[in-house]
Structures are given as C-alpha cells and as structure tokens.
Amino acid sequence: MTLELRHIDVRFGGATVLVQVSLRIETAEIVALLGPSGAGKTTLLRAVAGLVTPDSGAVLVDDRDVTDVAVHDRGVGLVFQDNQLFPHRDVAGNVEFGLRMQRLPRARREARVSDMLQLVGLEGFEHRAVTSLSGGEAKRVALARSLAPGPPILLLDEPLTGLDDDLHDRLAADLATILRATSTTTLLVTHDVDEARPTVFPRENTTQPHRANSRAASCRRGSRSSG
C-alpha cells in the first residue's frame, strides 16, 4: 500500500512542531527520514499512526484519507524507539498480541508467531521472558510483534538506538532483508545516517545512486518539511 502525507501541521500549545510536511511513499518502498533530535520525527510517525491528530493536512493510505480513522483500523504498524514490550508476557505473548486483537484462533496465532520468530532470527524463543533478552533480541521481538498482524505499512522510530556498533550494523542489514522479504511499505525516522544507510541502501555505498524503491529524505529544524 502507498502512504501519503499532505501538508501536515502539528502544534502543541504555542509550539509548532511540524509545518506543511508532504511526503509520498510507494508500495513496498523504504524511506528513511533523517533529522536532528527535536525536529519532529517522532511526532510525524505518531500522526501517521493516529496517536497524534494533525492541526491541518491529511494522512492517506492507498489514497484513502485516514486522518480521522482509529489507530487500529489504519493498517499501520509502529515500532517504538524503546520497544515497549510487555514485561508480564513472554516472547510469544508479545508477538501474538496483535493477533489476539484480530481474534485469530489459537492454532493460527501459534503458527504465525513461529513464522515471525523464524523471520527475525529468534526461532525457539517463544517461552523466553522478555526481561531476559539482550538489547538486540528485544529489538527483534518488537519488530516481530509489529509485523505479525501483517500491516501493509510499518513505521520505525530509531529502531536501532542504543546498540553497540557491531550489533547495530548487523541488525540494520537484517532489518533491510526482512522488510524486503515482506514487501512492507516502510517509513523509518532517525538522526543517524549510519542507521538509515544500510537499511535503505543495504548493498550500496554513498557514492552510488539511490535505488528506485528506497530513498532518504531530511527533516530539519525550522522548516520541518520534507517531500
């Protein structure tokens, strides 16, 4: 599915956070939005997901205006920067959360959880406590949980923040592979070009032209617009 933002404005009290942000992402395209802390990147994702209501502008999914549609009816998955795993649930319980919301029967939930854990490289982790996971494993569980319901659009908020360099680079490459394998339309926001580059352009260096189905945009303080 396509994702389009049209002239999005967001204000909190007297503070203007986003001004006339417009962006279109084609089906299965991965876009990285780069910008410094405080540039409004997370606010933009929350507006797309329906957690923040824009003061003006529109959010469209497959050319359908979803600006006023409830969060759970948008077909959008969101991976938060801090993962936000449920500590009282094991790995399987976290991954199947969205499937329970879809009221899938138990057998189908278990099969989907198994498939998702295999996809993110955590096969056999179903009964692990999430509090026992490493940082990289927790990131993978959060990604599996977001992908499990099959959202056609995925939002990633600095998904690799806080990892050491080796793990960061390894997970960035894995993330690119997973997103392409699932043909998921993706908007990733980050302040770190080294996080965006291997995810959006996994087999390119900075001297090569951008791939047709991957690109990067910028989000700057002041104008806070991209497109």
PDB file of all heavy atoms in Angstrom, residues 161-192:
ATOM      1  N   THR A 161      18.579   2.345  18.034  1.00  0.00           N
ATOM      2  CA  THR A 161      19.215   3.204  19.030  1.00  0.00           C
ATOM      3  C   THR A 161      19.653   2.395  20.248  1.00  0.00           C
ATOM      4  O   THR A 161      18.943   1.515  20.720  1.00  0.00           O
ATOM      5  CB  THR A 161      18.237   4.302  19.474  1.00  0.00           C
ATOM      6  OG1 THR A 161      17.961   5.146  18.360  1.00  0.00           O
ATOM      7  CG2 THR A 161      18.824   5.147  20.590  1.00  0.00           C
ATOM      8  N   GLY A 162      20.846   2.692  20.752  1.00  0.00           N
ATOM      9  CA  GLY A 162      21.313   2.093  21.992  1.00  0.00           C
ATOM     10  C   GLY A 162      22.080   0.798  21.837  1.00  0.00           C
ATOM     11  O   GLY A 162      22.502   0.212  22.829  1.00  0.00           O
ATOM     12  N   LEU A 163      22.302   0.349  20.602  1.00  0.00           N
ATOM     13  CA  LEU A 163      23.044  -0.886  20.376  1.00  0.00           C
ATOM     14  C   LEU A 163      24.511  -0.578  20.105  1.00  0.00           C
ATOM     15  O   LEU A 163      24.848   0.484  19.579  1.00  0.00           O
ATOM     16  CB  LEU A 163      22.452  -1.644  19.188  1.00  0.00           C
ATOM     17  CG  LEU A 163      20.971  -2.033  19.285  1.00  0.00           C
ATOM     18  CD1 LEU A 163      20.537  -2.722  18.005  1.00  0.00           C
ATOM     19  CD2 LEU A 163      20.721  -2.922  20.498  1.00  0.00           C
ATOM     20  N   ASP A 164      25.387  -1.526  20.434  1.00  0.00           N
ATOM     21  CA  ASP A 164      26.805  -1.315  20.130  1.00  0.00           C
ATOM     22  C   ASP A 164      27.008  -1.391  18.621  1.00  0.00           C
ATOM     23  O   ASP A 164      26.147  -1.864  17.872  1.00  0.00           O
ATOM     24  CB  ASP A 164      27.688  -2.336  20.848  1.00  0.00           C
ATOM     25  CG  ASP A 164      27.422  -3.770  20.394  1.00  0.00           C
ATOM     26  OD1 ASP A 164      27.645  -4.071  19.208  1.00  0.00           O
ATOM     27  OD2 ASP A 164      26.980  -4.581  21.227  1.00  0.00           O
ATOM     28  N   ASP A 165      28.142  -0.898  18.135  1.00  0.00           N
ATOM     29  CA  ASP A 165      28.356  -0.715  16.704  1.00  0.00           C
ATOM     30  C   ASP A 165      28.199  -1.999  15.905  1.00  0.00           C
ATOM     31  O   ASP A 165      27.546  -2.017  14.855  1.00  0.00           O
ATOM     32  CB  ASP A 165      29.751  -0.118  16.452  1.00  0.00           C
ATOM     33  CG  ASP A 165      29.855   1.319  16.918  1.00  0.00           C
ATOM     34  OD1 ASP A 165      28.797   1.946  17.148  1.00  0.00           O
ATOM     35  OD2 ASP A 165      30.990   1.824  17.057  1.00  0.00           O
ATOM     36  N   ASP A 166      28.791  -3.097  16.388  1.00  0.00           N
ATOM     37  CA  ASP A 166      28.729  -4.345  15.633  1.00  0.00           C
ATOM     38  C   ASP A 166      27.300  -4.858  15.512  1.00  0.00           C
ATOM     39  O   ASP A 166      26.845  -5.249  14.434  1.00  0.00           O
ATOM     40  CB  ASP A 166      29.603  -5.414  16.301  1.00  0.00           C
ATOM     41  CG  ASP A 166      31.087  -5.130  16.123  1.00  0.00           C
ATOM     42  OD1 ASP A 166      31.424  -4.316  15.239  1.00  0.00           O
ATOM     43  OD2 ASP A 166      31.897  -5.717  16.864  1.00  0.00           O
ATOM     44  N   LEU A 167      26.570  -4.847  16.637  1.00  0.00           N
ATOM     45  CA  LEU A 167      25.189  -5.317  16.627  1.00  0.00           C
ATOM     46  C   LEU A 167      24.308  -4.384  15.817  1.00  0.00           C
ATOM     47  O   LEU A 167      23.415  -4.824  15.086  1.00  0.00           O
ATOM     48  CB  LEU A 167      24.668  -5.438  18.064  1.00  0.00           C
ATOM     49  CG  LEU A 167      23.245  -5.978  18.230  1.00  0.00           C
ATOM     50  CD1 LEU A 167      23.107  -7.343  17.578  1.00  0.00           C
ATOM     51  CD2 LEU A 167      22.885  -6.049  19.708  1.00  0.00           C
ATOM     52  N   HIS A 168      24.547  -3.085  15.934  1.00  0.00           N
ATOM     53  CA  HIS A 168      23.817  -2.074  15.176  1.00  0.00           C
ATOM     54  C   HIS A 168      23.898  -2.370  13.678  1.00  0.00           C
ATOM     55  O   HIS A 168      22.877  -2.429  12.975  1.00  0.00           O
ATOM     56  CB  HIS A 168      24.413  -0.704  15.497  1.00  0.00           C
ATOM     57  CG  HIS A 168      23.807   0.443  14.756  1.00  0.00           C
ATOM     58  ND1 HIS A 168      24.034   0.669  13.414  1.00  0.00           N
ATOM     59  CD2 HIS A 168      23.000   1.450  15.175  1.00  0.00           C
ATOM     60  CE1 HIS A 168      23.398   1.758  13.036  1.00  0.00           C
ATOM     61  NE2 HIS A 168      22.760   2.245  14.083  1.00  0.00           N
ATOM     62  N   ASP A 169      25.120  -2.586  13.169  1.00  0.00           N
ATOM     63  CA  ASP A 169      25.305  -2.812  11.738  1.00  0.00           C
ATOM     64  C   ASP A 169      24.689  -4.132  11.298  1.00  0.00           C
ATOM     65  O   ASP A 169      24.093  -4.224  10.219  1.00  0.00           O
ATOM     66  CB  ASP A 169      26.800  -2.793  11.400  1.00  0.00           C
ATOM     67  CG  ASP A 169      27.424  -1.416  11.617  1.00  0.00           C
ATOM     68  OD1 ASP A 169      26.663  -0.441  11.740  1.00  0.00           O
ATOM     69  OD2 ASP A 169      28.666  -1.341  11.669  1.00  0.00           O
ATOM     70  N   ARG A 170      24.812  -5.155  12.139  1.00  0.00           N
ATOM     71  CA  ARG A 170      24.270  -6.468  11.806  1.00  0.00           C
ATOM     72  C   ARG A 170      22.743  -6.420  11.734  1.00  0.00           C
ATOM     73  O   ARG A 170      22.133  -6.956  10.803  1.00  0.00           O
ATOM     74  CB  ARG A 170      24.739  -7.484  12.838  1.00  0.00           C
ATOM     75  CG  ARG A 170      24.589  -8.923  12.400  1.00  0.00           C
ATOM     76  CD  ARG A 170      25.508  -9.843  13.206  1.00  0.00           C
ATOM     77  NE  ARG A 170      25.182  -9.855  14.631  1.00  0.00           N
ATOM     78  CZ  ARG A 170      25.983  -9.396  15.584  1.00  0.00           C
ATOM     79  NH1 ARG A 170      27.155  -8.860  15.282  1.00  0.00           N
ATOM     80  NH2 ARG A 170      25.626  -9.472  16.849  1.00  0.00           N
ATOM     81  N   LEU A 171      22.120  -5.753  12.713  1.00  0.00           N
ATOM     82  CA  LEU A 171      20.658  -5.678  12.729  1.00  0.00           C
ATOM     83  C   LEU A 171      20.129  -4.786  11.609  1.00  0.00           C
ATOM     84  O   LEU A 171      19.047  -5.031  11.082  1.00  0.00           O
ATOM     85  CB  LEU A 171      20.176  -5.161  14.080  1.00  0.00           C
ATOM     86  CG  LEU A 171      20.133  -6.176  15.219  1.00  0.00           C
ATOM     87  CD1 LEU A 171      19.522  -5.548  16.464  1.00  0.00           C
ATOM     88  CD2 LEU A 171      19.354  -7.415  14.835  1.00  0.00           C
ATOM     89  N   ALA A 172      20.881  -3.752  11.258  1.00  0.00           N
ATOM     90  CA  ALA A 172      20.448  -2.881  10.156  1.00  0.00           C
ATOM     91  C   ALA A 172      20.353  -3.667   8.856  1.00  0.00           C
ATOM     92  O   ALA A 172      19.389  -3.531   8.100  1.00  0.00           O
ATOM     93  CB  ALA A 172      21.411  -1.706  10.006  1.00  0.00           C
ATOM     94  N   ALA A 173      21.344  -4.499   8.603  1.00  0.00           N
ATOM     95  CA  ALA A 173      21.316  -5.330   7.389  1.00  0.00           C
ATOM     96  C   ALA A 173      20.175  -6.342   7.457  1.00  0.00           C
ATOM     97  O   ALA A 173      19.468  -6.574   6.468  1.00  0.00           O
ATOM     98  CB  ALA A 173      22.655  -6.034   7.221  1.00  0.00           C
ATOM     99  N   ASP A 174      19.974  -6.952   8.629  1.00  0.00           N
ATOM    100  CA  ASP A 174      18.877  -7.918   8.788  1.00  0.00           C
ATOM    101  C   ASP A 174      17.529  -7.244   8.596  1.00  0.00           C
ATOM    102  O   ASP A 174      16.604  -7.816   7.998  1.00  0.00           O
ATOM    103  CB  ASP A 174      18.934  -8.563  10.174  1.00  0.00           C
ATOM    104  CG  ASP A 174      20.098  -9.529  10.327  1.00  0.00           C
ATOM    105  OD1 ASP A 174      20.717  -9.881   9.307  1.00  0.00           O
ATOM    106  OD2 ASP A 174      20.389  -9.914  11.470  1.00  0.00           O
ATOM    107  N   LEU A 175      17.395  -6.026   9.125  1.00  0.00           N
ATOM    108  CA  LEU A 175      16.140  -5.287   9.010  1.00  0.00           C
ATOM    109  C   LEU A 175      15.796  -5.035   7.555  1.00  0.00           C
ATOM    110  O   LEU A 175      14.644  -5.214   7.130  1.00  0.00           O
ATOM    111  CB  LEU A 175      16.251  -3.965   9.773  1.00  0.00           C
ATOM    112  CG  LEU A 175      15.031  -3.042   9.736  1.00  0.00           C
ATOM    113  CD1 LEU A 175      13.810  -3.738  10.315  1.00  0.00           C
ATOM    114  CD2 LEU A 175      15.331  -1.755  10.511  1.00  0.00           C
ATOM    115  N   ALA A 176      16.786  -4.632   6.773  1.00  0.00           N
ATOM    116  CA  ALA A 176      16.547  -4.397   5.344  1.00  0.00           C
ATOM    117  C   ALA A 176      16.065  -5.666   4.659  1.00  0.00           C
ATOM    118  O   ALA A 176      15.126  -5.638   3.846  1.00  0.00           O
ATOM    119  CB  ALA A 176      17.834  -3.891   4.692  1.00  0.00           C
ATOM    120  N   THR A 177      16.689  -6.788   4.984  1.00  0.00           N
ATOM    121  CA  THR A 177      16.300  -8.073   4.383  1.00  0.00           C
ATOM    122  C   THR A 177      14.864  -8.436   4.751  1.00  0.00           C
ATOM    123  O   THR A 177      14.077  -8.878   3.901  1.00  0.00           O
ATOM    124  CB  THR A 177      17.256  -9.189   4.859  1.00  0.00           C
ATOM    125  OG1 THR A 177      18.586  -8.864   4.442  1.00  0.00           O
ATOM    126  CG2 THR A 177      16.852 -10.534   4.273  1.00  0.00           C
ATOM    127  N   ILE A 178      14.501  -8.256   6.028  1.00  0.00           N
ATOM    128  CA  ILE A 178      13.153  -8.599   6.492  1.00  0.00           C
ATOM    129  C   ILE A 178      12.098  -7.738   5.820  1.00  0.00           C
ATOM    130  O   ILE A 178      11.058  -8.227   5.356  1.00  0.00           O
ATOM    131  CB  ILE A 178      13.077  -8.456   8.026  1.00  0.00           C
ATOM    132  CG1 ILE A 178      13.916  -9.546   8.705  1.00  0.00           C
ATOM    133  CG2 ILE A 178      11.627  -8.511   8.509  1.00  0.00           C
ATOM    134  CD1 ILE A 178      14.158  -9.294  10.169  1.00  0.00           C
ATOM    135  N   LEU A 179      12.347  -6.438   5.734  1.00  0.00           N
ATOM    136  CA  LEU A 179      11.365  -5.529   5.144  1.00  0.00           C
ATOM    137  C   LEU A 179      11.154  -5.831   3.665  1.00  0.00           C
ATOM    138  O   LEU A 179      10.033  -5.759   3.155  1.00  0.00           O
ATOM    139  CB  LEU A 179      11.801  -4.082   5.344  1.00  0.00           C
ATOM    140  CG  LEU A 179      11.831  -3.603   6.795  1.00  0.00           C
ATOM    141  CD1 LEU A 179      12.385  -2.182   6.876  1.00  0.00           C
ATOM    142  CD2 LEU A 179      10.443  -3.667   7.421  1.00  0.00           C
ATOM    143  N   ARG A 180      12.222  -6.174   2.973  1.00  0.00           N
ATOM    144  CA  ARG A 180      12.081  -6.524   1.563  1.00  0.00           C
ATOM    145  C   ARG A 180      11.400  -7.877   1.387  1.00  0.00           C
ATOM    146  O   ARG A 180      10.622  -8.066   0.455  1.00  0.00           O
ATOM    147  CB  ARG A 180      13.446  -6.478   0.886  1.00  0.00           C
ATOM    148  CG  ARG A 180      13.903  -5.047   0.623  1.00  0.00           C
ATOM    149  CD  ARG A 180      15.328  -4.934   0.136  1.00  0.00           C
ATOM    150  NE  ARG A 180      15.604  -3.573  -0.290  1.00  0.00           N
ATOM    151  CZ  ARG A 180      15.820  -2.557   0.538  1.00  0.00           C
ATOM    152  NH1 ARG A 180      15.822  -2.760   1.849  1.00  0.00           N
ATOM    153  NH2 ARG A 180      16.033  -1.333   0.078  1.00  0.00           N
ATOM    154  N   ALA A 181      11.673  -8.800   2.295  1.00  0.00           N
ATOM    155  CA  ALA A 181      11.043 -10.127   2.207  1.00  0.00           C
ATOM    156  C   ALA A 181       9.534 -10.042   2.391  1.00  0.00           C
ATOM    157  O   ALA A 181       8.781 -10.833   1.812  1.00  0.00           O
ATOM    158  CB  ALA A 181      11.653 -11.061   3.243  1.00  0.00           C
ATOM    159  N   THR A 182       9.089  -9.092   3.199  1.00  0.00           N
ATOM    160  CA  THR A 182       7.659  -8.945   3.470  1.00  0.00           C
ATOM    161  C   THR A 182       6.992  -7.888   2.582  1.00  0.00           C
ATOM    162  O   THR A 182       5.786  -7.666   2.695  1.00  0.00           O
ATOM    163  CB  THR A 182       7.426  -8.573   4.945  1.00  0.00           C
ATOM    164  OG1 THR A 182       8.173  -7.379   5.266  1.00  0.00           O
ATOM    165  CG2 THR A 182       7.878  -9.696   5.867  1.00  0.00           C
ATOM    166  N   SER A 183       7.767  -7.224   1.714  1.00  0.00           N
ATOM    167  CA  SER A 183       7.252  -6.173   0.817  1.00  0.00           C
ATOM    168  C   SER A 183       6.465  -5.117   1.585  1.00  0.00           C
ATOM    169  O   SER A 183       5.384  -4.679   1.163  1.00  0.00           O
ATOM    170  CB  SER A 183       6.377  -6.787  -0.287  1.00  0.00           C
ATOM    171  OG  SER A 183       7.129  -7.672  -1.090  1.00  0.00           O
ATOM    172  N   THR A 184       7.010  -4.713   2.741  1.00  0.00           N
ATOM    173  CA  THR A 184       6.322  -3.777   3.616  1.00  0.00           C
ATOM    174  C   THR A 184       6.707  -2.341   3.282  1.00  0.00           C
ATOM    175  O   THR A 184       7.888  -2.000   3.248  1.00  0.00           O
ATOM    176  CB  THR A 184       6.679  -4.059   5.089  1.00  0.00           C
ATOM    177  OG1 THR A 184       6.370  -5.424   5.386  1.00  0.00           O
ATOM    178  CG2 THR A 184       5.903  -3.148   6.020  1.00  0.00           C
ATOM    179  N   THR A 185       5.712  -1.513   3.024  1.00  0.00           N
ATOM    180  CA  THR A 185       5.942  -0.077   2.849  1.00  0.00           C
ATOM    181  C   THR A 185       6.409   0.487   4.187  1.00  0.00           C
ATOM    182  O   THR A 185       5.724   0.316   5.195  1.00  0.00           O
ATOM    183  CB  THR A 185       4.646   0.620   2.407  1.00  0.00           C
ATOM    184  OG1 THR A 185       4.163  -0.008   1.204  1.00  0.00           O
ATOM    185  CG2 THR A 185       4.876   2.099   2.165  1.00  0.00           C
ATOM    186  N   THR A 186       7.561   1.148   4.204  1.00  0.00           N
ATOM    187  CA  THR A 186       8.194   1.488   5.474  1.00  0.00           C
ATOM    188  C   THR A 186       8.660   2.939   5.518  1.00  0.00           C
ATOM    189  O   THR A 186       9.284   3.434   4.574  1.00  0.00           O
ATOM    190  CB  THR A 186       9.412   0.576   5.735  1.00  0.00           C
ATOM    191  OG1 THR A 186       8.994  -0.790   5.675  1.00  0.00           O
ATOM    192  CG2 THR A 186      10.041   0.861   7.083  1.00  0.00           C
ATOM    193  N   LEU A 187       8.368   3.591   6.649  1.00  0.00           N
ATOM    194  CA  LEU A 187       8.917   4.911   6.952  1.00  0.00           C
ATOM    195  C   LEU A 187       9.743   4.783   8.219  1.00  0.00           C
ATOM    196  O   LEU A 187       9.220   4.445   9.285  1.00  0.00           O
ATOM    197  CB  LEU A 187       7.810   5.945   7.142  1.00  0.00           C
ATOM    198  CG  LEU A 187       8.263   7.356   7.574  1.00  0.00           C
ATOM    199  CD1 LEU A 187       9.222   7.957   6.556  1.00  0.00           C
ATOM    200  CD2 LEU A 187       7.051   8.272   7.775  1.00  0.00           C
ATOM    201  N   LEU A 188      11.039   5.013   8.106  1.00  0.00           N
ATOM    202  CA  LEU A 188      11.971   4.936   9.225  1.00  0.00           C
ATOM    203  C   LEU A 188      12.461   6.341   9.537  1.00  0.00           C
ATOM    204  O   LEU A 188      12.844   7.078   8.624  1.00  0.00           O
ATOM    205  CB  LEU A 188      13.144   4.026   8.851  1.00  0.00           C
ATOM    206  CG  LEU A 188      14.299   3.828   9.830  1.00  0.00           C
ATOM    207  CD1 LEU A 188      14.956   2.471   9.568  1.00  0.00           C
ATOM    208  CD2 LEU A 188      15.366   4.922   9.703  1.00  0.00           C
ATOM    209  N   VAL A 189      12.440   6.730  10.809  1.00  0.00           N
ATOM    210  CA  VAL A 189      12.993   8.029  11.176  1.00  0.00           C
ATOM    211  C   VAL A 189      14.187   7.827  12.098  1.00  0.00           C
ATOM    212  O   VAL A 189      14.201   6.936  12.942  1.00  0.00           O
ATOM    213  CB  VAL A 189      11.947   8.956  11.843  1.00  0.00           C
ATOM    214  CG1 VAL A 189      10.748   9.155  10.937  1.00  0.00           C
ATOM    215  CG2 VAL A 189      11.523   8.437  13.207  1.00  0.00           C
ATOM    216  N   THR A 190      15.200   8.648  11.899  1.00  0.00           N
ATOM    217  CA  THR A 190      16.417   8.534  12.694  1.00  0.00           C
ATOM    218  C   THR A 190      17.219   9.830  12.596  1.00  0.00           C
ATOM    219  O   THR A 190      17.051  10.601  11.645  1.00  0.00           O
ATOM    220  CB  THR A 190      17.284   7.351  12.213  1.00  0.00           C
ATOM    221  OG1 THR A 190      18.466   7.276  13.004  1.00  0.00           O
ATOM    222  CG2 THR A 190      17.683   7.511  10.743  1.00  0.00           C
ATOM    223  N   HIS A 191      18.096  10.047  13.571  1.00  0.00           N
ATOM    224  CA  HIS A 191      19.036  11.169  13.495  1.00  0.00           C
ATOM    225  C   HIS A 191      20.381  10.693  12.976  1.00  0.00           C
ATOM    226  O   HIS A 191      21.286  11.494  12.764  1.00  0.00           O
ATOM    227  CB  HIS A 191      19.231  11.795  14.888  1.00  0.00           C
ATOM    228  CG  HIS A 191      19.954  10.884  15.841  1.00  0.00           C
ATOM    229  ND1 HIS A 191      19.318   9.864  16.517  1.00  0.00           N
ATOM    230  CD2 HIS A 191      21.254  10.820  16.208  1.00  0.00           C
ATOM    231  CE1 HIS A 191      20.194   9.217  17.268  1.00  0.00           C
ATOM    232  NE2 HIS A 191      21.378   9.766  17.096  1.00  0.00           N
ATOM    233  N   ASP A 192      20.522   9.380  12.745  1.00  0.00           N
ATOM    234  CA  ASP A 192      21.805   8.747  12.473  1.00  0.00           C
ATOM    235  C   ASP A 192      21.851   8.212  11.046  1.00  0.00           C
ATOM    236  O   ASP A 192      21.180   7.244  10.714  1.00  0.00           O
ATOM    237  CB  ASP A 192      22.014   7.607  13.479  1.00  0.00           C
ATOM    238  CG  ASP A 192      23.347   6.901  13.305  1.00  0.00           C
ATOM    239  OD1 ASP A 192      24.158   7.360  12.472  1.00  0.00           O
ATOM    240  OD2 ASP A 192      23.566   5.903  14.011  1.00  0.00           O
TER     241      ASP A 192
END
